[in-house]
Amino acid sequence: MTVDFSNWVCPTPLRDYPAIVMGHGAGGKLSTELITHLFLPAFGGPHGPLADAALIDVGGARLAISTDSFVVRPLFFPGGNIGELAINGTINDIAMMGAQPIALTASFILEEGMPLAQLGLIAESMGRAAHNAGVILIAGDTKVVDRGHGDGVYITTTGFGLVPAGITIGPEHARPGDAIIVSGPIGLHGIAILSVREGIEFGAPVTSDTAALHGLVSTMLASGSRIHTLRDPTRGGVAAALNEIAATAQIGIEIIERDIPIPPAVQAACELLGMDPLHIANEGKLIVFVERDDAERLLAAMRTHPLGRDAALIGYATIDHPGVVVARTGIGGMRVVDTLVGEQLPRIC
Amino acid sequence: MTVDFSNWVCPTPLRDYPAIVMGHGAGGKLSTELITHLFLPAFGGPHGPLADAALIDVGGARLAISTDSFVVRPLFFPGGNIGELAINGTINDIAMMGAQPIALTASFILEEGMPLAQLGLIAESMGRAAHNAGVILIAGDTKVVDRGHGDGVYITTTGFGLVPAGITIGPEHARPGDAIIVSGPIGLHGIAILSVREGIEFGAPVTSDTAALHGLVSTMLASGSRIHTLRDPTRGGVAAALNEIAATAQIGIEIIERDIPIPPAVQAACELLGMDPLHIANEGKLIVFVERDDAERLLAAMRTHPLGRDAALIGYATIDHPGVVVARTGIGGMRVVDTLVGEQLPRIC
Amino acid sequence: MKYLDEFRDPALARRLFEQIRRITTRHWAIMEVCGGQTHSIIRNGIDQLLPPEIELIHGPGCPVCVTPLEIIDKALAIAALPEVIFCSFGDMLRVPGSRKDLFRVKSEGGDVRVVYSPLDAVKLAQQHPDRQVVFFAIGFETTAPANAMAVYQAARLGLKNFSMLVSHVLVPPAISAIMESPNNRVQGFLAAGHVCSVMGIEEYRSLVETYRVPIVVTGFEPLDVLEGIRRAILQLEQGRAELDNAYERAVRPEGNVAAKQMLADVFTVTDRTWRGIGRIPRSGWRLSDRYAEFDAEFRFNVHDIQTSESPLCRSGEVLQGLLKPNQCPAFGKECTPRTPLGATMVSSEGACAAYYQYGRFVPTSTIGVAS
Amino acid sequence: MKYLDEFRDPALARRLFEQIRRITTRHWAIMEVCGGQTHSIIRNGIDQLLPPEIELIHGPGCPVCVTPLEIIDKALAIAALPEVIFCSFGDMLRVPGSRKDLFRVKSEGGDVRVVYSPLDAVKLAQQHPDRQVVFFAIGFETTAPANAMAVYQAARLGLKNFSMLVSHVLVPPAISAIMESPNNRVQGFLAAGHVCSVMGIEEYRSLVETYRVPIVVTGFEPLDVLEGIRRAILQLEQGRAELDNAYERAVRPEGNVAAKQMLADVFTVTDRTWRGIGRIPRSGWRLSDRYAEFDAEFRFNVHDIQTSESPLCRSGEVLQGLLKPNQCPAFGKECTPRTPLGATMVSSEGACAAYYQYGRFVPTSTIGVAS
Amino acid sequence: MCLGIPGRIIEIYDNGITRMGKVDFNGIVKEVCLAYLPDLQVGDYTIVHVGFAITRLDEESARETLALFQSLGVLEEELNPDESHETA
Amino acid sequence: MCLGIPGRIIEIYDNGITRMGKVDFNGIVKEVCLAYLPDLQVGDYTIVHVGFAITRLDEESARETLALFQSLGVLEEELNPDESHETA
Ligand code: SF4
Ligand code: SF4
Ligand SMILES: [Mg+2]
Ligand SMILES: [Mg+2]
Ligand SMILES: [Mg+2]
Ligand SMILES: [Mg+2]
Ligand SMILES: [Mg+2]
Ligand SMILES: [Mg+2]
Ligand SMILES: [Mg+2]
Ligand SMILES: [Mg+2]
Ligand SMILES: [Mg+2]
Ligand SMILES: [Mg+2]
């Protein structure tokens, strides 16, 4: 097989990179292109397989399935560690399909030399996170790789949930006119991680927002609001999540910058590093597209839940500029909010 | 949390290793102890979670689930590559529960610098293997790690299958008196891999036996034989698979060495490297425990299938020495067939 | 954030827009020299809210964009050496050389690291005495004191394993070059506030006089940029050509004296080729002879550098204000931030990238994300 | 396999068992010196099929088992050095030193590699001129020619980055030591066939005469071992003490002359401490002065080696045939192949490990695998 | 170019090579080289670029500039109320 | 100790340093150092230990030994049929 470059929107994709670069894993355009142009054709066609998550019908039930590998560095960060991230992240991907998560599998790739005491802490917080979320860890696997071929521990979790009857939630269901709500302040996880790497100190500590969101989703569904789309803005941040929805549903999106809840420390760190808060990863937040008339009711319901206390309406879907996300800027201008190409880099000059 | 050393069968487990060593991933005793004494307590108790595979009831159906990470080196080996291994291995774990596999997820951890052309070949053979097996790849994930923190590509697959009504197959169902059948010649996969690493050449090529076994299992189930246990003897080989069954079902096992189909090249490579063919990994073979009276009928059925053509009866389960596997040696003596402690090493002296 | 938020106030912005509209009677072409200002303009949508008579021309003020291809190719060659730890500001990693970029060199095994400050590279050299640490010293006058300090400290610490690949550029000679160009359309300049906070404003006085062109020293927040534009338009409308400082909170007339002393010690003025523009006399800094031993170009004998620029790319004209990015035929087609053909598409501050990221007129098909 | 399968023939084995039963009239204690023979005995269940009068005592013939703790601790210290690539035969990786083993050193970042042949280590030294390649040269007389060739080639190639940590041991002095022991119960020896194929059989003649003990040079396949036992018993029953060669297809009386010449050049006889046994005069080889520069003990100044053996372990008595492995109180309890206390539990050829792996009387609880 | 962010100096020290400090940016704190601003004191504002304080931020000037912006439209509106609405 | 495996020499060559060869072990082939057996020829059997041929395997002796085993019980059974059954 040779990699198929023939159907690119841009004419020379992957051309510059004959091998994997970090950006292929950053959840931006390079990631999308790798999936679209390498994996999908190999796996049998442009439609369907190898999305982040999927639905299958099993014995009359609709089963939601999602898988993710967690390769986060550092393994322990302010507010959490790779273990609870691996549990919450997959629970959330299930919850974003409107499903109630039931069970997870966990597969470990351990690097020779990984201290067992640290591994114990990670496993223990996985057990605690699963217990708190009411899901069970049903199967697992452990592999060890030579020192210098891993990074302490990588964890792959796969989750299963049941979609209640009558629920149809997905990026393809977002519609022009929908109100767009974010469940709380953005950027905390990414900045907590960055602070460790970039040697930033915080006056008041900034900690990861990692959390399992299926409880909040239950509350939201129970409110009776007509929810069309749910998405957890993880890698690539709010910008990537909104762009993906805009592209999938072929709608335009307009958000209002000053309505987006951005914690001051996140804002400050982004200013200092030359980054956009909309590109920073979150691990315990969701974005919801809801029928405009139900927005207030949904907001009220979300605010009754601890994880939705600071929910905010940040914009609307439109029929204009389908596939494009724009932001109304603080001074009233407009800008395109694009997905990152590859890795998020500190901008200095 | 501190690692719990208090309940070891051996009095001082992991004592010598405060950190992960290669043996923890070799599928032998160190692997078992890591799971039993670190993961299981963290995940909530000694029973159930984090076995290789599991059954859950979903919407009236019995769903078989299994996950595995594949970290094989080299990525391409005689007879296959890591991609088809990742597909077949998980299909087989599903099939070993008597289930018909439906769908797989695949999660990739790519090392920066991995050539896209190689990745394309791997993805393509995954697609082909899934297609041939009639399963779909429904969801996936891609992460990239810094060069020097991976090894080209690691793949984690998770599989789902449905257990037909009336089927109860598992290691706990093996019974004294059961006949033990292996589906064909053993050791081919492990020796194909070793030959690359140890610089052994072969007169006639030895290639990995990687294959999806669910078709063979269907044939076996259709024969009406009373099958109690199925197991694919992968990491740790036939010895590890039999020991696990003996321990789980608390039965003794006696195999007859000269009845075990060992290809001459496997035997020769094992002699040269000082290894035991029973410890060598297989990726396209299964072991079945069947009601003694049905053994001939099952053998006949297996031999109608291309993957069971060379099936052989290799021994019986007994009420003697529960938990222990013994072999009748070529000259009529007896020896214990134990699980390896950690890694399989070339024995020289 | 204090002293940021106040200068982003929407009500005050409205007043400034109003003022600008009020005083503008005809077409004026103003260049913001600095990529940071271009970024601010597009990021805030300022250009769309200005009266149509005002044309903003994006200047060559992004050091990432103008670093010559030959030096980038040298950087790639040095970064690939097994003994080298190559340190760079983040944005440089995506700048394409003739055949690859630093990300690719890293993927091929080069030890390429992003640093926040040049002093981080000095620290790395202390921590890895067995390795050669090379810092990619790009930047205008604002960044130069930091880079100078790195060399100065390396010398004081006696580090034999630290060196810099220097590609410093200077603003005033670039303004001269623009004004000397036969195609020049620029009628007024917003000078780069942070450059001036280091260098002071005196060297701009002769430019104002020589070319009879208004120069307003300008900050980076929306109100700063608007105020700079307002003052430039005001001069133009009134037929004046003066040097004006609209960023007084950060810019002293004399600049930063301590920093300038260090710069005079560590660097020497040199001719410099600007990517997409060409050679501009006395428009850059190299290490002074006293610090020549820290020059990575001499330390590493990087031969066989074959540079070749894309023939499609018109970033030279873009940088000179002769072309809007979206007027380039390759814009959004052959040339995107993922497959940049020119320096101005590479940096998120480059004019082409800024248009692509924040411009309203980007064709939808080029932003598509696979479903 | 040709010349293996024929010597595993069950029908012939039955005949040999029958013969041995027929000629055995009383208790005899025979030691197979070589761990390879112990392995073969347990692997094939030979001991269980012999008449109960015959007691097989497992000898100290496993180089992995008898390598002194102090040298293993030195190996661990050398392997941990960042500049070192430490090469070893596979089995040595699990041998515990005072505090750790090579697997743990590897997990802590040591570059520890398993080689099949010592020449692989020489190749590594050629491929990595910037690293120090150290080969752990253990073994009896059989392995010594291979290790000697490695040093010889390194010298011829002028390699400055190759060295060996030498712990060679010799069979005949060990037999003397056993026979000299006041507790000795051994009445006949199966000598190690492959050792003799290198060294020849003449040096055993004086042992036979000095101690009036039958010595039968014996091979490794089941029929070879049975034939060795048969000939030893025959001598004992007949009151003879002779040197007999039951492995004629591989052993010439003079041994391998070319190999012996090389050994004389590269090695010099030295006193050697055997783990679990103690110091035996002139029972080992070290590098000769001519090759002293290749001695890893001199090249690497490995200080502060504090050795400490487990007080529970009785492998010394096991190695001397005074104790069966399963008579050791720690056997299968504190001491298992996963948590070996003694050298004889470490190697899959060690007497204790062989009993644990292949013995019939292992308590089930120690073999348990978690469900 | 030249991303520069205002922050308040909260600590000054000598790291053995040069004058360094900690600067607070609205709750986040970063170590910064103060070598080029020998007169700055704890409590002063500075503008930081690639880990270096490049200039003092003059709070008085900042207030004046903002006051100018405040006055801009108002003054002219007062002077010329009609015209202001026409051009809007 | 001293795992030694019989194989047949199928190729002999000089690798620039010493005499080497390829040895066939029932279908698998490994490179082996032949320096210590200068007289061995292609077709001869040898015993290989850690990559070295340490001795020639004498096929004649092998046959004789096997013949001895074959004859052992038989001879004595013929000579002493009753006793042989008693001790079994
Ligand atoms: S759009 Fe691309 S090709 Fe065109 S001028 Fe800009 S950088 Fe060059
Ligand atoms: S069983 Fe273990 S402790 Fe006992 S003698 Fe053998 S090696 Fe030593
Ligand atoms: Mg997922
Ligand atoms: Mg996910
Ligand atoms: Mg998600
Ligand atoms: Mg598994
Ligand atoms: Mg690592
Ligand atoms: Mg599995
Ligand atoms: Mg498996
Ligand atoms: Mg399996
Ligand atoms: Mg994912
Ligand atoms: Mg690697």
Side-chain angles (χ1 to χ4, degrees), chain A residues 52 68 89 93 96 231-232 234:
Chain A
D52 197 51
D68 265 305
D93 281 352
M96 293 309 113
R231 189 55 116 217
D232 55 338
T234 54

Side-chain angles (χ1 to χ4, degrees), chain B residues 20 80 85 100 120 122 126 140 230 241 265 275:
Chain B
I20 292 291
L85 219 55
Q100 203 54 28
I122 290 167
M126 290 177 78
L230 292 166
M275 291 174 171

